Amino acid sequence: MLQIAYTCYTMDNTGAWNLEDKRQVGKMGGDRARKKEQTRRVLIDAAFQQLSAERSFASLSLREVTREAGIAPTSFYRHFQNMEALGLTLVDESGLTLRQLMRQARQRIESGGSAIRTSVETFMEFVSENENVFRLLLRERSGTSRDFRAAVAREIAFFSLELADYIDSVTQRGQEFSRVQADAMVILVFNAGAEALDMSKAQRKTLVEKTIRQLRMLDAGGAIYMKRSLNRGISGFANYRP
Amino acid sequence: MLQIAYTCYTMDNTGAWNLEDKRQVGKMGGDRARKKEQTRRVLIDAAFQQLSAERSFASLSLREVTREAGIAPTSFYRHFQNMEALGLTLVDESGLTLRQLMRQARQRIESGGSAIRTSVETFMEFVSENENVFRLLLRERSGTSRDFRAAVAREIAFFSLELADYIDSVTQRGQEFSRVQADAMVILVFNAGAEALDMSKAQRKTLVEKTIRQLRMLDAGGAIYMKRSLNRGISGFANYRP
DNA sequence: GGTTTAAGCGAACAGCTGTACTCTAATCTA
DNA sequence: TAGATTAGAGTACAGCTGTTCGCTTAAACC
């Protein structure tokens, strides 16, 4: 940890530099700090800007980002330790967007929509309106950085946990069971989002219906499975013996 | 299409160069052709070799691959048009490995195992034994090349179609319905494989059990859903109204 | 008002990249 | 066997990369 005069530089878990005034000055946010925060934003936005179907974060170079941001390459280091640090910040912000979306979906459900349909449709709207944000999460989930993978996994876990709570509050089948079911649903919805990216609007509509059917199966199956009636004749192929 | 004297160069859908003797010589595989095929293999193997948790195909350079293969960088072009062409070949080979695995699983099931458990366990074995092959499919599924994405999607579709056929042959619920169900199952299994990559052996075991539970839910739910008994009291939260 | 602090810039560097071109040596064909 | 064909190597080049260092300039502090 660097310590110079009055100020102390630390790094948060995204590897971004944070200025912490040791004397806990109440006002904070002087001209300098404000401007720094501003160009930091410019860098983040520039990175998001360059993401696309053909461009992954891993394929972005530091120089490209600074070029887009209108900043000298060397100035990058005043804001992030390296590209990985910037990437983790992007993932964090994407996760935030995702959670806001969840809240929005919950509101829609509470004001009287079908839980499954509303969730799927809201999610697909998110994907359509934030393709590159979603692509980032999707790609870094299986990317080359363990930290990235963990960060995305954490965001998805948040997502899933909230759904599990909701399911459990309605079905009362127990937290652990609801987690397993919610996890499956989240994976299916995420995957549908991924597939949607390469689809036309019409195709996406079909995909939504298919995903809804899949979630309904899980929902119905959860009820059955919980009642342990699997071996009492309402089963599919699981117990089939050739 | 280049046409020189007796030979004719074409490209297959992976963008690899193919030598086609126009006179359909029966013997084929002269000394030259055999050696060429050989170094082509060396290149493919070198690429697979370099894939790892920290190294994606996209991050591989042409020079790295040729260095690993012990070949001059410029000689690469005798075998592939560019790196993308090599990548598509890798995806194709990976898909082949995957399909062989499927056949293996079907055999195990037919010789008297639980369909779901056997499938999941066989798949996880494949992932454990071919981590980098699986990683390739996983990453390129959401990669920056549309051709790659399409190629992986095709492989997964194969996989899913075979499962759907199996399900339908047992449950007789109709092809279309079985497809939707099989798709969901394949996605869940694939996702479990992805999660397993960052897990210890013990954790993987728990994951297998969780995945099996999820597939059983889908199986049971499929039966229920098909009987349209959703609104007759055996439902979960789907029709819940706050 | 003088001094400290730090954001941002420009030059420079070593190292890597893909690929065009030319040449060699081995194989194939007639 | 003479001539055509081609896999592979070597050289070369322009273009890009991340990062170091020293400098300027403006804000923050005493």
Side-chain angles (χ1 to χ4, degrees), chain B:
Chain B
M1 186 188 285
L2 270 140
Q3 185 164 336
I4 310 160
Y6 300 108
T7 53
C8 166
Y9 276 86
T10 58
M11 294 211 308
D12 58 22
N13 61 351
T14 65
W17 295 109
N18 287 329
L19 189 84
E20 290 174 359
D21 197 7
K22 292 186 81 180
R23 290 161 312 148
Q24 315 223 1
V25 177
K27 47 184 178 176
M28 224 356 193
D31 219 10
R32 186 122 86 194
R34 218 187 61 251
K35 279 196 177 177
K36 177 161 184 176
E37 181 58 36
Q38 206 171 304
T39 72
R40 185 186 137 94
R41 257 258 70 82
V42 173
L43 280 169
I44 293 172
D45 291 342
F48 267 126
Q49 194 68 35
Q50 307 211 333
L51 295 179
S52 71
E54 296 80 24
R55 230 60 177 73
S56 70
F57 180 78
S59 79
L60 286 186
S61 74
L62 183 148
R63 291 181 106 107
E64 279 177 309
V65 174
T66 54
R67 213 176 297 138
E68 172 85 19
I71 286 170
T74 48
S75 300
F76 179 91
Y77 297 101
R78 302 287 185 194
H79 303 275
F80 298 97
Q81 202 187 22
N82 48 38
M83 279 294 282
E84 169 133 354
L86 170 59
L88 285 174
T89 305
L90 295 196
V91 171
D92 273 12
E93 292 216 354
S94 302
L96 203 71
T97 312
L98 202 59
R99 265 172 277 159
Q100 284 167 346
L101 160 91
M102 266 300 276
R103 256 168 258 144
Q104 190 184 329
R106 215 177 313 130
Q107 280 177 357
R108 288 197 202 176
I109 293 169
E110 277 165 13
S111 66
S114 149
I116 286 182
R117 178 169 293 275
T118 305
S119 298
V120 173
E121 285 177 351
T122 308
F123 190 87
M124 293 305 249
E125 274 174 40
F126 164 75
V127 172
S128 294
E129 286 162 23
N130 306 275
E131 294 207 349
N132 295 339
V133 170
F134 182 66
R135 258 191 268 262
L136 176 77
L137 292 174
L138 201 63
R139 284 172 176 156
E140 299 312 329
R141 184 160 69 120
S142 58
T144 53
S145 155
R146 174 174 274 258
D147 287 347
F148 275 51
R149 293 197 297 272
V152 175
R154 195 162 43 86
E155 297 301 336
I156 295 180
F158 269 128
F159 198 88
S160 186
L161 199 59
E162 292 208 33
L163 177 59
D165 278 345
Y166 171 76
I167 292 180
D168 196 55
S169 73
V170 173
T171 63
Q172 304 282 353
R173 285 181 205 138
Q175 273 290 338
E176 201 265 343
F177 183 87
S178 298
R179 271 307 301 266
V180 174
Q181 194 180 24
D183 277 0
M185 291 189 169
V186 168
I187 289 160
L188 289 178
V189 173
F190 251 74
N191 188 80
E195 285 185 27
L197 287 174
D198 275 332
M199 284 183 172
S200 69
K201 269 198 173 173
Q203 287 174 308
R204 290 185 191 196
K205 222 169 162 235
T206 319
L207 178 64
V208 165
E209 296 309 318
K210 175 179 148 188
T211 308
I212 289 173
R213 287 175 73 186
Q214 291 173 332
L215 295 200
R216 287 210 208 284
M217 279 187 220
L218 267 173
D219 179 37
I224 290 295
Y225 191 70
M226 195 61 189
K227 290 178 182 169
R228 308 201 185 286
S229 44
L230 265 176
N231 297 318
R232 281 183 267 137
I234 323 186
S235 169
F237 65 91
N239 295 299
Y240 169 78
R241 289 285 180 286

Side-chain angles (χ1 to χ4, degrees), chain A residues 42-107:
Chain A
V42 173
L43 279 170
I44 293 172
D45 292 342
F48 267 127
Q49 194 69 34
Q50 308 212 336
L51 295 180
S52 71
E54 295 80 26
R55 235 49 185 79
S56 70
F57 179 78
S59 79
L60 286 186
S61 74
L62 183 149
R63 291 180 106 107
E64 279 177 310
V65 174
T66 54
R67 214 176 296 137
E68 172 85 18
I71 286 169
T74 50
S75 301
F76 179 91
Y77 297 101
R78 302 286 185 195
H79 302 275
F80 298 97
Q81 204 188 20
N82 48 39
M83 280 294 282
E84 169 135 350
L86 170 59
L88 285 174
T89 305
L90 296 195
V91 171
D92 273 12
E93 292 215 355
S94 303
L96 204 70
T97 312
L98 201 61
R99 265 172 276 158
Q100 284 167 347
L101 160 92
M102 266 300 275
R103 256 169 257 142
Q104 190 183 328
R106 216 178 311 131
Q107 281 177 357

